[in-house]
Structures are given as structure tokens and as C-alpha cells.
Amino acid sequence: MIAVGLIDVMVVAGAGTDDGAIPTRSTSMSIRLAAALPLLLVAAPALAADAGGAPLLDLRYRYEHVAQDGIARDADAHSARLRLGYRTARWHGWSALGEVDGVAHLGGERFNDTRNGRTRYPTVADPDYVELNQALLRYDGGHGNVQLGRQRINLGNQRFVGGVGWRQNEQTYDGAMMELAPAARWKLTYAYVTNINTVFGPDQPPAPSLTAPANIHGDSHLLQARFAPGTQLAFTGYHYRLDLENVAVAAGAPRGTLSADTTGLRVQGSHGAFGYVLEHARQVDGHGNPWSLDSRYWLGEASHAAGEVKSTLGYEVLGAGAGGLGNRAFQTPLATKHAFQGWADQFLTTPADGLRDAYAGVVVPLAGGKAQAWYHDFRSDRGSYRYGHELNLSWERAVPQLKGLSVLLKAARYRSADAVRTRDADKLWVQLQYTRS
């Protein structure tokens, strides 16, 4: 047995900045286990062989630049995430997984991480922290599995429930999840969630508003049923009862205004090189919501694949909903939102007048990796006025010299057509990630 001690490593930010900004707080976040990383890398094969389990390692460095109209300073964020875990071998169907991660800011904090008070800079929502990311027991049987504890939940394409894996602090869920496959063409998923660990952790300092708590409390139920009559067609029905007690749809809204019941159906299929998606959902107010809600969601998407080149056209509507004071539009508070409606993240909360997104994209092989280009045109659902348009570009590839290492270059350019409602924004990312599992 190999014992690895816990060693605190202090990551100290720069003492000051060139532009006269206040010196950063000592970013005195301790990344436990960081100093033991060399020992872990050496011991990992032995641990896996001796116990029959698998050590987990994920390292991610990211540079993010944000320039946004209306904010005088540009944001420049350098951050590093370390995630360590271990998955045991199965024993009579039972297994366990534990995972700890932490984020450190490198250099001066020239960005608003939602907790550091740097409101003169645009937001880069990656606070520094150390926490338990996953800790679960799992049972696998002949027709499905059950997981208990803190866990990752990604349902479907993560449009409604996901882990927000793009941000450095992943969103995880405390509760229980069951997946059943009673027949070859059916898959049933049910999850009961009592707490959501959001990307806005840690708990301290407190969240500046009710829109970005570190944890969301409540008793939520997630139900999904998938039926695939063949390899080229699938129907997915879902009902999500979100009880989100301590979060609000907007800074001035009361608690509970994101509690909602969402019921929908997604049809996805293909015919030769062509693919299509049709989806509709209805959202009404849920348990404890002081506001009455009634809004709709629509999606139509067509795609074509020619070898490694894939082209997509789509139209997505998040409805404005019934009348009344406040923002009562269709919301997706638990979604992996960065993957939808443009990478500039201008519409993480659906505007009160709703949102219509007409988009087109292409994915092509380039220089040993994969390149993407997407264009979005944004309009309101009520009134049909223009918000603006956005262009997204990215390139990603694995580094052949080191298995598990990948590099990502990514950019987003949003241009507003209505400065009262949105502002121009430019974002750039450079990322290196190493994963071993």
C-alpha cells in the first residue's frame, strides 16, 4: 500500500498590476495533493494493478481574454485546474468513485471571477477553490445501474441538465440516479437531486446576488425515457421538476423564480448522410415559485455529413412566455449553456422577451485536428427585434507526442444590434489539457 501525504502548496498571485489595479488577494488557495502529483503519477500503475481500480488525473491550463463594451478594462485570466480521483474495481456489482479538484489563478487577477470583487473587469466565472467534485457508490446489474452520492449528470445533449464542463469548476449533483434498460430499444433514466454544486463555488465569500449561488438547494426530480425503434431514429421524452429554492432568474427577482416543471419530446433521426432533430417542450411554474410561468421551447435542426465534414442548420426558440412583471421566459438553469446560443455567453439567462437563434455551422478536419465555424443571428421571440449576431471559431487537436494531451484555440465575436439590451463582446481562449484515466 502506498501512502501519499497531503501537502499544502500556496499559489501566490502577483503582488500588483501594471495598470494600477488593486493588488490581487493572496490567492492563498491551497491545492491539496498538488505537491504529491509526482508520487501519484509514479504510483498510479501499481495502484491500478494491485486494487483492480483506476486512478484518474486531469490537468487543464486555460487563458481567457474578454473585451466587452461598457466595461473599460479587458479581462485576462490565467487559471489551472487539477483533478485527482480513483475508481475502484467492481465487487459483486458494486464500485465507488472519489474525485477532488481545485482551481488556482496564475498571475494577477485582471478579471471578475464572481467572487473576487473585481467588477471593473468583465466576468470570467472561474473562482479559485478546492472541493470534492464526485463521491459516489454505484451498483451495476443486468438491466441498468444506480448511483448514490455526489455525481456528474449529463442528460441527452445537456440542453436542460448537464455538468457545464467548459468552466473550470464543474457542476455536479448530490442525490441518486438510476438508469434502466428494460428492453433492447428502451432506456429509462431517473434522478433525485437535493443539492447542485454550481460553477460559482466556493461558498465564501458569499455570492454577490441570488443569480449565482455556489449551491442550489431543493428537491428536484429528473425523468427521461428514450425509445429507439431502429439505428436511425430515436424518441426521447422528458419531465424535469426543478425545485430551486435559493436562486432567482434575475438580481431583482424573488427566490424560487427558476423553479419550474418542463415537459418535452425530442425526435432525432438520420437518412443516409442527412440528419434531423425536432423538439418541443412546455415550461410551467414549479413548486415554491412565486410567479406563474407558461412558455414554450422549439428546435428544428438539419445536418449533412460528407466524410469528416459536417454542416448544420438550425433554428431554436426559447419563448417569451405568458405576460406579467419580471422575466418569465423559458429558462434552462441547469444546462451546459456554453454549448448553445454562441460561445460569447451573451444569453445565459433568456431575455424577458424570449430568444430566437438561427444558426449555421461547419466542422472540418484541419492540420491533424478539428476546426469549427458557427454563425448565430439572435432575435427576440416577442416583438421579433434583433439582439445581434455572433461568429465562433475553434481548432482542437490531440498532441501525438504525449497521449492524453490536447490543445484548443477558440474565439467568439458578438456584435450587438441593440446597445440597450446587449453589448459588443470579443472572447479568446487558449487551452492545454491532459487527461489520464
Side-chain angles (χ1 to χ4, degrees):
M1 179 177 178
I2 300 176
V4 179
L6 296 179
I7 303 176
D8 286 351
V9 176
M10 198 70 76
V11 180
V12 181
T17 63
D18 297 334
D19 56 5
I22 300 172
T24 69
R25 54 192 165 122
S26 98
T27 328
S28 64
M29 82 124 315
S30 332
I31 301 188
R32 293 189 180 270
L33 293 176
L37 179 58
L39 287 177
L40 181 70
L41 290 173
V42 172
L47 284 169
D50 290 345
L56 309 173
L57 169 64
D58 183 275
L59 289 165
R60 185 161 78 181
Y61 161 78
R62 177 183 291 161
Y63 166 70
E64 181 167 346
H65 172 82
V66 183
Q68 183 171 324
D69 276 9
I71 302 179
R73 300 175 185 269
D74 293 352
D76 290 289
H78 296 267
S79 63
R81 184 187 72 196
L82 170 64
R83 182 175 292 162
L84 298 171
Y86 191 80
R87 180 186 294 111
T88 71
R90 289 184 191 175
W91 182 76
H92 298 288
W94 289 93
S95 61
L97 183 148
E99 196 173 68
V100 178
D101 63 7
V103 168
H105 297 162
L106 310 177
E109 288 185 350
R110 297 185 179 92
F111 62 100
N112 176 13
D113 73 356
T114 73
R115 290 294 189 274
N116 60 5
R118 292 292 183 101
T119 55
R120 293 178 299 170
Y121 294 89
T123 297
V124 177
D126 291 322
D128 51 6
Y129 72 96
V130 175
E131 73 172 357
L132 188 66
N133 194 53
Q134 292 193 89
L136 61 92
L137 288 174
R138 178 183 173 107
Y139 178 77
D140 287 271
H143 293 285
N145 64 78
V146 177
Q147 291 190 161
L148 305 172
R150 178 166 296 183
Q151 58 194 283
R152 181 179 294 126
I153 299 180
N154 293 320
L155 297 184
N157 66 343
Q158 303 183 49
R159 189 62 186 96
F160 295 98
V161 180
V164 197
W166 171 248
R167 297 264 48 109
Q168 296 283 49
N169 184 9
E170 184 181 24
Q171 179 169 279
T172 56
Y173 300 78
D174 297 345
M177 184 171 74
M178 175 177 63
E179 295 178 311
L180 295 177
R185 299 177 179 180
W186 284 92
K187 181 181 179 181
L188 306 176
T189 303
Y190 168 74
Y192 170 65
V193 176
T194 60
N195 181 68
I196 301 153
N197 310 283
T198 76
V199 301
F200 299 109
D203 290 316
Q204 297 297 328
S209 78
L210 291 176
T211 62
N215 294 275
I216 301 176
H217 309 302
D219 297 306
S220 296
H221 302 266
L222 313 173
L223 178 64
Q224 186 181 93
R226 185 177 187 272
F227 173 64
T231 59
Q232 297 180 325
L233 182 62
F235 299 88
T236 303
Y238 49 88
H239 180 69
Y240 306 135
R241 299 188 63 183
L242 302 186
D243 176 19
L244 310 178
E245 298 175 352
N246 60 314
V247 66
V249 67
R255 296 174 186 266
T257 42
L258 283 173
S259 294
D261 296 347
T262 302
T263 305
L265 175 66
R266 178 182 176 92
V267 181
Q268 185 167 1
S270 62
H271 182 75
F274 294 91
Y276 62 90
V277 178
L278 298 171
E279 187 169 0
H280 173 253
R282 182 186 181 191
Q283 187 171 92
V284 298
D285 48 292
H287 175 73
N289 193 327
W291 289 356
S292 175
L293 305 179
D294 191 355
S295 58
R296 307 287 176 141
Y297 171 87
W298 299 91
L299 172 67
E301 186 177 277
S303 62
H304 178 265
E308 296 183 73
V309 178
K310 183 177 180 180
S311 304
T312 303
L313 291 172
Y315 190 69
E316 184 183 48
V317 180
L318 283 76
L325 297 176
N327 186 346
R328 305 184 187 223
F330 195 104
Q331 304 292 340
T332 59
L334 304 186
T336 299
K337 301 177 189 178
H338 181 76
F340 306 92
Q341 298 171 342
W343 301 336
D345 291 336
Q346 297 301 294
F347 301 101
L348 297 180
T349 297
T350 308
D353 285 335
L355 180 64
R356 298 181 181 182
D357 177 14
Y359 58 91
V362 62
V363 180
V364 300
L366 179 65
K370 180 177 68 174
Q372 299 187 52
W374 294 89
Y375 177 81
H376 297 261
D377 183 79
F378 300 109
R379 297 177 182 269
S380 66
D381 178 48
R382 182 165 49 219
S384 195
Y385 52 81
R386 289 196 69 199
Y387 291 121
H389 63 273
E390 181 172 332
L391 176 65
N392 299 154
L393 299 171
S394 76
W395 176 77
E396 183 177 17
R397 69 160 294 175
V399 178
Q401 290 79 9
L402 181 58
K403 183 180 179 181
L405 180 65
S406 64
V407 59
L408 171 68
L409 305 176
K410 188 171 175 178
R413 181 179 178 85
Y414 176 82
R415 286 298 171 264
S416 174
D418 185 346
V420 174
R421 295 178 173 88
T422 64
R423 297 294 182 93
D424 291 354
D426 294 292
K427 297 190 177 185
L428 172 69
W429 300 269
V430 180
Q431 177 178 292
L432 287 172
Q433 185 163 359
Y434 175 75
T435 303
R436 180 174 178 174
S437 60

